[in-house]
Amino acid sequence: MRADARRNYEKILATARVVFTERGTDSSLDEIAKRAGVGPGTLYRHFPTREALVDALMQDWTDRVASDADAAIATDAPAPAMLLDWFEHFIEHITLHRGAATKICAAMDDPASPMYRKCRVMGEANRRVIEHLDERGELRPGVDPANVMRLVSGVASVADTSRAAIEVRPMLEVVVDGIVRA
Amino acid sequence: MRADARRNYEKILATARVVFTERGTDSSLDEIAKRAGVGPGTLYRHFPTREALVDALMQDWTDRVASDADAAIATDAPAPAMLLDWFEHFIEHITLHRGAATKICAAMDDPASPMYRKCRVMGEANRRVIEHLDERGELRPGVDPANVMRLVSGVASVADTSRAAIEVRPMLEVVVDGIVRA
DNA sequence: ACCTGAACACCGTTCAAGT
DNA sequence: ACCTGAACACCGTTCAAGT
């Protein structure tokens, strides 16, 4: 990659992070280009779709989610508390930019999405946590990690979409009770 | 309302139902106006926002949801089966047009939304079902009907948003297990 | 090889002119 | 009182011209 290309790439990414934080992942791409000081064509060259741009920013959260999974597995807290914590952190990460959770819901089961691979990494992290619970004999039989991931992402999406400040915890408590062996 | 106005109103609504069925609730309003044979301004006069248009179409589902709630309460099926059925029907209704479930998630907690009132009606229907369960002593303590509504709408939204054909049943089973007294 | 920015297409929204 | 459709603003996308 040429030096000026790389500089533009980084500048666009940094600007996108700021704009997405301010107004969410559905902000105008044109504005990002303008504020990054590049032409719209340049943004396009580096990020052919909005999802490609979100995907590039997702790296951070994906890393954090993965390390949170390790922390969850390492703790010896009781299953419900451990799961609640894990889910809350997960949601915190994927709702960092408004609109992201909903995009993740869509990308999760769509191999054609640019975000698919990172969704898989997060899905793997979740699978590890759930299967760890299973090994401890605390998982309700028939619970599929993929569906847990969909459910929790759904909760994130609902909270993220809503204008009101929705508490995710009460919803997560229901989910946890549905997962942990009675 | 003048005769020609009423005719246009009905024509727009009928066309919107067709277009929303074909391509979801994010279809171009311009196309609806064109296919209804009216100018864009006419559509605007009758439905100032896209949500107002969706709201007008929501009447049917709202009615069905309400009568499904009565049916759920009347049945003497065991709690889990009754709930699963109720939730599945609920989701079936609100995902009739692609994109509707997500809009309902957003409107549910936003009194300023044109769809808010009908969301309330659906919320009331759900409350009746959940409280009926409580009267039978089968509700897990601390479960709030409003959160159940959010959760199930979230499941609907995830299924609706996804490109892949997601099974809602496994997710609903988790929710049901989290709701019914162990 | 990469960037620029004009040009295009599309869509929501408004409003002056018409009936 | 209501409708029409031109006009506007905004945004994503493309591409010819430039370095």
Side-chain angles (χ1 to χ4, degrees), chain B residues 26-85:
Chain B
D26 289 317
S27 314
S28 157
L29 298 179
D30 219 56
E31 194 194 325
I32 293 173
K34 273 206 183 72
R35 279 170 64 166
V38 302
T42 304
L43 191 149
Y44 254 75
R45 154 170 287 263
H46 291 298
F47 307 99
T49 66
R50 164 177 256 112
E51 287 203 323
L53 192 50
V54 176
D55 181 66
L57 289 177
M58 260 181 82
Q59 188 60 57
D60 295 355
W61 335 329
T62 311
D63 294 344
R64 280 177 225 155
V65 165
S67 74
D68 279 354
D70 296 334
I73 291 169
T75 187
D76 51 0
M82 183 269 263
L83 274 181
L84 261 181
D85 227 56

Side-chain angles (χ1 to χ4, degrees), chain A residues 60-99:
Chain A
D60 295 355
W61 336 328
T62 310
D63 293 346
R64 281 176 225 156
V65 166
S67 75
D68 279 353
D70 295 335
I73 290 168
T75 187
D76 51 0
M82 183 269 263
L83 273 181
L84 261 182
D85 227 56
W86 156 246
F87 289 154
E88 277 195 329
H89 280 111
F90 180 81
I91 290 183
E92 210 174 287
H93 295 320
I94 71 170
T95 55
L96 210 143
H97 302 298
R98 182 158 283 238

